[in-house]
Amino acid sequence: MLDEEYMREALRLARNAAGRTSPNPLVGAVIVRDGRIVAEGWHRRAGTPHAEVLALQMAGELAKGATLYVTLEPCVHHGRTGPCVEAIIGAGIRRVVAAIEDPNPLVKGQGFQKLREAGIEVTSGVLEAEARQLNEAFLKWISTRTPFVTLKMAMTLDGKIATTVGESQWITGEAARQRGHEMRDLSDAILVGIETVLADDPSLTTRLPEGGRNPVRIVLDSQARMPLTARMLGDGAAPVLVAVTEWAPEERLEKLRAAGAEIVFCGDGTRVDLSILLKRLGEREICSLLVEGGGIVHFSFLQANLADKVCTFIAPRLIGGAKAPSVVSGEGFAHLDDGVRLRDVTSEFVGEDICLTGYVRK
């Protein structure tokens, strides 16, 4: 179908800004007249013109009587920019084809309604699944005000993340490690546990040949044990949030603040309440969270049913060891039926490693 062909182009355009539009969605737009594309546009970043407006500006008079293909329902409200619906109506577009409805309460069906009231034909649902996957982080955040959580794991074929003496660099190959940095570049925030900081002193920055965006860095540290000499505290590459509980000593908190960390209180128990943390992150307009923790951190997210996606890199090597740390540990699930199951699982080779990706069944 031609509608799918043009929508696929709009989705391709939207991906040009992957990782750069948060908390806005990725949106691409294509204008077609007399069977040919006359204009294209995509949203670059929050606060800049939307995809539809850019495409309309490019089309000019050619927009009259044309069809607009857009990956998300056009907005109808005044935000950082004006309503796209008004621009579409004013340009004389005859038909609008959209992939999905915008779940934002300020939009949600109202954009389609305004267009129909203006006599514009509206079709929605074209390549809907692809569009939802493209904007999975935005759709989760705008609906729940909490970030989309991806667990990123790297393990040996026998499920180990380090040897019995703690050696872990490097479990996977260079290609898989680069893919991991690409995932950081696309994420608003990255999270590890305090044990990872104590063992590896990571910087948690994005290191790609072309540079990349550094995500906000988050450390689960209920007792504020983070060393003041930690690499990430002194590099200024991105904000550092230390998630603690009310049990954290005030003296330690003051020193961490002085070293450049921001303290986020998450509950009054002995462990950080992850639900509270995700709510706090959502309030900061963090839409996507990449978790690169150890086995206990991974299990905590899975046990609390707070993970949305799991991406696991499996290296073709075996190291064994009953005491070697596992990719998911903690207390574990007592029964098979209680364990976490994934859906829509895909696999691919990344270098000599295998990458398995799936979504958590809720």
Side-chain angles (χ1 to χ4, degrees):
M1 291 177 59
L2 287 178
D3 280 354
E4 291 188 357
E5 178 183 334
Y6 293 129
M7 187 60 73
R8 193 163 282 109
E9 172 65 7
L11 289 167
R12 185 193 68 79
L13 291 168
R15 293 187 186 95
N16 286 332
R20 301 298 181 266
T21 62
S22 185
N24 286 2
L26 291 163
V27 182
V30 172
I31 296 177
V32 176
R33 178 170 172 170
D34 298 328
R36 67 183 183 91
I37 295 176
V38 297
E40 297 181 334
W42 68 91
H43 184 46
R44 264 70 168 179
R45 63 182 65 247
T48 64
H50 290 186
E52 303 95 311
V53 171
L54 291 172
L56 290 170
Q57 290 174 349
M58 179 183 289
E61 291 298 313
L62 292 176
K64 291 183 179 179
T67 297
L68 168 68
Y69 292 85
V70 62
T71 56
L72 185 70
E73 176 184 8
C75 65
V76 71
H77 64 293
H78 286 271
R80 290 166 173 158
T81 60
C84 290
V85 164
E86 292 182 4
I88 293 168
I89 294 172
I93 289 289
R94 177 186 63 83
R95 179 180 180 232
V96 171
V97 180
I100 54 176
E101 179 183 84
D102 189 342
N104 186 340
L106 298 175
V107 183
K108 198 170 174 57
Q110 297 178 63
F112 292 152
Q113 181 181 342
K114 290 283 188 183
L115 292 171
R116 290 188 175 107
E117 289 173 353
I120 297 173
E121 179 186 347
V122 175
T123 301
S124 64
V126 177
L127 297 187
E128 179 177 358
E130 291 89 334
R132 288 191 175 280
Q133 185 176 46
L134 174 71
N135 273 311
E136 57 193 12
F138 167 76
L139 295 175
K140 165 82 179 295
W141 176 77
I142 201 68
S143 301
T144 68
R145 293 296 169 174
T146 58
F148 184 91
V149 177
T150 299
L151 303 189
K152 182 254 179 182
M153 309 175 182
M155 67 180 191
T156 60
L157 195 56
D158 52 347
K160 306 300 184 180
I161 59 175
T163 67
T164 54
V165 296
E167 185 179 328
S168 61
Q169 296 183 347
W170 297 102
I171 291 288
T172 55
E174 184 176 345
R177 297 198 297 275
Q178 171 148 328
R179 178 68 65 85
H181 283 285
E182 291 170 358
M183 294 174 69
R184 291 182 181 184
D185 178 60
L186 298 176
S187 302
D188 293 338
I190 183 172
L191 178 147
V192 297
I194 182 59
E195 297 301 335
T196 295
V197 174
L198 295 175
D200 300 333
D201 191 20
S203 62
L204 302 183
T205 53
T206 298
R207 297 183 294 279
L208 293 170
E210 64 276 15
R213 182 184 67 153
N214 291 322
V216 173
R217 297 166 292 182
I218 303 162
V219 179
L220 299 180
D221 185 13
S222 58
Q223 300 297 311
R225 293 188 291 146
M226 186 171 182
L228 301 178
T229 56
R231 186 182 307 172
M232 71 178 80
L233 287 177
D235 62 12
V240 176
L241 308 185
V242 180
V244 303
T245 69
E246 298 292 343
W247 289 87
E250 183 59 36
E251 178 184 347
R252 290 290 305 165
L253 298 180
E254 286 302 320
K255 290 181 179 179
L256 284 172
R257 290 189 183 101
E262 179 180 341
I263 304 300
V264 182
F265 288 96
C266 301
D268 55 7
T270 57
R271 299 180 65 179
V272 170
D273 187 318
L274 296 178
S275 295
I276 294 176
L277 174 60
L278 293 185
K279 181 180 179 182
R280 299 279 189 271
L281 297 181
E283 290 169 352
R284 297 173 66 103
E285 297 188 335
I286 289 176
C287 302
S288 55
L289 174 64
L290 183 65
V291 176
E292 291 190 6
I296 292 176
V297 171
H298 293 153
F299 179 74
S300 297
F301 275 92
L302 294 170
Q303 183 184 41
N305 198 27
L306 295 175
D308 298 293
K309 189 176 184 179
V310 177
C311 181
T312 305
F313 295 91
I314 305 171
R317 64 172 73 195
L318 303 161
I319 58 176
K323 294 183 179 180
S326 300
V327 70
V328 178
S329 56
E331 62 191 69
F333 296 104
H335 304 285
L336 285 175
D337 288 344
D338 296 334
V340 174
R341 293 180 63 87
L342 303 181
R343 60 174 176 82
D344 301 331
V345 177
T346 59
S347 64
E348 63 173 315
F349 277 102
V350 180
E352 64 177 14
D353 303 310
I354 297 173
C355 178
L356 291 178
T357 302
Y359 294 85
V360 175
R361 293 183 184 272
K362 298 294 184 178

mmCIF file with all atom_site columns, all heavy atoms in Angstrom, residues 97 137 247 341:
data_model
loop_
_atom_site.group_PDB
_atom_site.id
_atom_site.type_symbol
_atom_site.label_atom_id
_atom_site.label_alt_id
_atom_site.label_comp_id
_atom_site.label_asym_id
_atom_site.label_entity_id
_atom_site.label_seq_id
_atom_site.pdbx_PDB_ins_code
_atom_site.Cartn_x
_atom_site.Cartn_y
_atom_site.Cartn_z
_atom_site.occupancy
_atom_site.B_iso_or_equiv
_atom_site.pdbx_formal_charge
_atom_site.auth_seq_id
_atom_site.auth_comp_id
_atom_site.auth_asym_id
_atom_site.auth_atom_id
_atom_site.pdbx_PDB_model_num
ATOM 1  N N   . VAL A 1 97  ? -2.668 11.351  7.216  1.00 0.00 ? 97  VAL A N   1
ATOM 2  C CA  . VAL A 1 97  ? -2.505 9.940   7.566  1.00 0.00 ? 97  VAL A CA  1
ATOM 3  C C   . VAL A 1 97  ? -1.525 9.870   8.731  1.00 0.00 ? 97  VAL A C   1
ATOM 4  O O   . VAL A 1 97  ? -0.390 10.331  8.625  1.00 0.00 ? 97  VAL A O   1
ATOM 5  C CB  . VAL A 1 97  ? -1.967 9.111   6.381  1.00 0.00 ? 97  VAL A CB  1
ATOM 6  C CG1 . VAL A 1 97  ? -1.813 7.645   6.783  1.00 0.00 ? 97  VAL A CG1 1
ATOM 7  C CG2 . VAL A 1 97  ? -2.893 9.248   5.177  1.00 0.00 ? 97  VAL A CG2 1
ATOM 8  N N   . ALA A 1 137 ? 9.567  4.933   24.676 1.00 0.00 ? 137 ALA A N   1
ATOM 9  C CA  . ALA A 1 137 ? 9.920  5.684   25.885 1.00 0.00 ? 137 ALA A CA  1
ATOM 10 C C   . ALA A 1 137 ? 8.951  6.843   26.110 1.00 0.00 ? 137 ALA A C   1
ATOM 11 O O   . ALA A 1 137 ? 8.443  7.043   27.214 1.00 0.00 ? 137 ALA A O   1
ATOM 12 C CB  . ALA A 1 137 ? 11.348 6.196   25.791 1.00 0.00 ? 137 ALA A CB  1
ATOM 13 N N   . TRP A 1 247 ? 17.927 6.650   55.938 1.00 0.00 ? 247 TRP A N   1
ATOM 14 C CA  . TRP A 1 247 ? 18.939 6.122   56.846 1.00 0.00 ? 247 TRP A CA  1
ATOM 15 C C   . TRP A 1 247 ? 20.345 6.605   56.498 1.00 0.00 ? 247 TRP A C   1
ATOM 16 O O   . TRP A 1 247 ? 21.291 6.370   57.262 1.00 0.00 ? 247 TRP A O   1
ATOM 17 C CB  . TRP A 1 247 ? 18.918 4.585   56.823 1.00 0.00 ? 247 TRP A CB  1
ATOM 18 C CG  . TRP A 1 247 ? 17.706 4.019   57.495 1.00 0.00 ? 247 TRP A CG  1
ATOM 19 C CD1 . TRP A 1 247 ? 16.492 3.776   56.935 1.00 0.00 ? 247 TRP A CD1 1
ATOM 20 C CD2 . TRP A 1 247 ? 17.588 3.648   58.871 1.00 0.00 ? 247 TRP A CD2 1
ATOM 21 N NE1 . TRP A 1 247 ? 15.613 3.264   57.861 1.00 0.00 ? 247 TRP A NE1 1
ATOM 22 C CE2 . TRP A 1 247 ? 16.263 3.172   59.065 1.00 0.00 ? 247 TRP A CE2 1
ATOM 23 C CE3 . TRP A 1 247 ? 18.466 3.646   59.958 1.00 0.00 ? 247 TRP A CE3 1
ATOM 24 C CZ2 . TRP A 1 247 ? 15.798 2.725   60.298 1.00 0.00 ? 247 TRP A CZ2 1
ATOM 25 C CZ3 . TRP A 1 247 ? 18.004 3.194   61.193 1.00 0.00 ? 247 TRP A CZ3 1
ATOM 26 C CH2 . TRP A 1 247 ? 16.689 2.740   61.352 1.00 0.00 ? 247 TRP A CH2 1
ATOM 27 N N   . ARG A 1 341 ? 8.791  -13.425 32.262 1.00 0.00 ? 341 ARG A N   1
ATOM 28 C CA  . ARG A 1 341 ? 8.781  -13.917 30.890 1.00 0.00 ? 341 ARG A CA  1
ATOM 29 C C   . ARG A 1 341 ? 8.856  -12.731 29.936 1.00 0.00 ? 341 ARG A C   1
ATOM 30 O O   . ARG A 1 341 ? 8.322  -11.649 30.218 1.00 0.00 ? 341 ARG A O   1
ATOM 31 C CB  . ARG A 1 341 ? 7.526  -14.740 30.604 1.00 0.00 ? 341 ARG A CB  1
ATOM 32 C CG  . ARG A 1 341 ? 7.472  -16.043 31.393 1.00 0.00 ? 341 ARG A CG  1
ATOM 33 C CD  . ARG A 1 341 ? 6.207  -16.821 31.055 1.00 0.00 ? 341 ARG A CD  1
ATOM 34 N NE  . ARG A 1 341 ? 6.184  -17.211 29.649 1.00 0.00 ? 341 ARG A NE  1
ATOM 35 C CZ  . ARG A 1 341 ? 6.731  -18.323 29.175 1.00 0.00 ? 341 ARG A CZ  1
ATOM 36 N NH1 . ARG A 1 341 ? 7.372  -19.149 29.988 1.00 0.00 ? 341 ARG A NH1 1
ATOM 37 N NH2 . ARG A 1 341 ? 6.642  -18.628 27.888 1.00 0.00 ? 341 ARG A NH2 1
#
